[in-house]
Amino acid sequence: MNDPAQKASTATPLRPARSFVLRFISGKYQGGEFPVVADKQIIVGRSSELDMVLVEDMVSRKHARIAMQADQIWIEDLGSTNGTFVNGEKIKRARLKEGDRVLIGTSILKLIAGDGSRDTTDVKREMENVAVQRRTSQARTVSGSIEEVPLPDLLQLFGTSKKSGVLVIHTEDNEVGKIFMRKGTIYFASINELDDVPPMKSIFRMLTWQKGSFDLDAPDERTFPNELDVSVQEVLMEGLRQLDEFNEIRGELPDLNSRLVVSSPLMPPLRELKPDELDIFQLAFNFGHIETVLNKSRATDLESVQMLLKLIKGRYLRPE
């Protein structure tokens, strides 16, 4: 006869439920974490008696509810004025998965594995301390790292939530990019205040940046002579397509700081080049540096690189 006690002792133990936290990766509470506890809902809002208190104008008194039931985590908007967004989509109710990003007000939270057993009273106190430490005389509405929130995801969040302001990106190479937004629509962009680089080319180039910090500054009242009027979705569809193609051929191109010189003697006939290719040839002849050629070309970076490669392989130009 089988011994029930022995059978119980050899049974596979139940796996403990995974613990999760919501980490603030942008906004005034950046760096703070809030535990997600099974069978205990989290009410998010501006009211001081709630579980997660976010003190800012764009957050409603009772904004959203987050709850973990069994192994599923759900978020529900509670009829807030400015909405709740998950991965750039405005939601009424949605299931959260590890790595998802939630935008409430000006705070971006990321669901990650972590210690979900911490006391919420201590966590609320820590969040208040984080907010106090981050206060500055010129408070920015949203800030963070593009390693945590990649630029395409960030633009998607701001576009869907109809943000207005200037998104400023600082890279480790001291590049400064600016994307000007009006109610979620992009109307201008620049890199290092360069007049040579058109706005769309500036945005596409910024999409290649993978490290750096961002801030959403207050709206800029200036007008620009060549303003855009494009949705984030339009920009991302074309920009990411160009980025994929650019990355495929980037290894064939010399370093962007390299100089190009006209081959001597110049054997291939110039009459075989198309007008756009002749423009690139002239820019290379006049300026030499690949980066300057890309900046001054009227074509996109992808088109310019494709033409430069054709000129190099055709022996019209050679790297020096």
Side-chain angles (χ1 to χ4, degrees), residues 285-311:
F285 177 78
N286 288 339
F287 300 103
H289 283 99
I290 294 178
E291 187 172 19
T292 306
V293 172
L294 295 182
N295 287 344
K296 292 187 173 293
S297 171
R298 291 179 298 178
T300 66
D301 282 346
L302 174 62
E303 294 166 337
S304 301
V305 164
Q306 289 171 332
M307 288 186 280
L308 278 175
L309 284 174
K310 179 177 178 179
L311 293 171

Side-chain angles (χ1 to χ4, degrees), residues 127-290:
M127 284 178 55
E128 292 170 3
N129 292 338
V130 167
V132 169
Q133 291 170 8
R134 289 183 58 82
R135 283 180 194 151
T136 60
S137 58
Q138 183 181 4
R140 291 184 167 93
T141 55
V142 185
S143 62
S145 161
I146 59 175
E147 292 173 272
E148 283 273 22
V149 195
L151 189 54
D153 294 1
L154 195 60
L155 287 173
Q156 185 76 31
L157 285 169
F158 292 164
T160 310
S161 55
K162 301 188 182 303
K163 287 278 191 291
S164 295
V166 183
L167 178 59
V168 183
I169 303 104
H170 294 264
T171 73
E172 295 178 342
D173 299 324
N174 297 319
E175 301 252 50
V176 180
K178 294 182 179 181
I179 299 176
F180 296 74
M181 304 187 72
R182 187 184 292 125
K183 294 183 178 179
T185 299
I186 298 172
Y187 67 93
F188 194 70
S190 67
I191 295 178
N192 299 333
E193 307 288 349
L194 289 175
D195 295 330
D196 289 337
V197 187
M200 285 295 284
K201 184 186 288 190
S202 296
I203 299 171
F204 293 161
R205 198 173 288 182
M206 280 184 257
L207 290 176
T208 67
W209 295 352
Q210 297 180 342
K211 293 185 178 181
S213 61
F214 69 83
D215 300 286
L216 183 65
D217 286 352
D220 192 316
E221 301 303 325
R222 287 181 295 168
T223 58
F224 300 94
N226 51 342
E227 283 196 2
L228 306 169
D229 183 17
V230 292
S231 70
V232 167
Q233 201 60 38
E234 291 175 277
V235 168
L236 291 182
M237 285 180 64
E238 178 59 19
L240 294 176
R241 180 194 68 80
Q242 290 194 24
L243 179 59
D244 287 342
E245 293 188 34
F246 183 89
N247 287 336
E248 286 181 10
I249 61 175
R250 177 67 184 87
E252 302 177 45
L253 194 71
D255 187 89
L256 295 183
N257 292 320
S258 301
R259 285 186 60 83
L260 294 173
V261 296
V262 177
S263 299
S264 181
L266 181 59
M267 302 301 291
L270 291 174
R271 65 176 175 272
E272 293 185 359
L273 296 178
K274 298 175 182 177
D276 288 348
E277 294 166 349
L278 280 171
D279 288 345
I280 292 291
F281 179 84
Q282 184 176 17
L283 289 173
F285 177 78
N286 288 339
F287 300 103
H289 283 99
I290 294 178

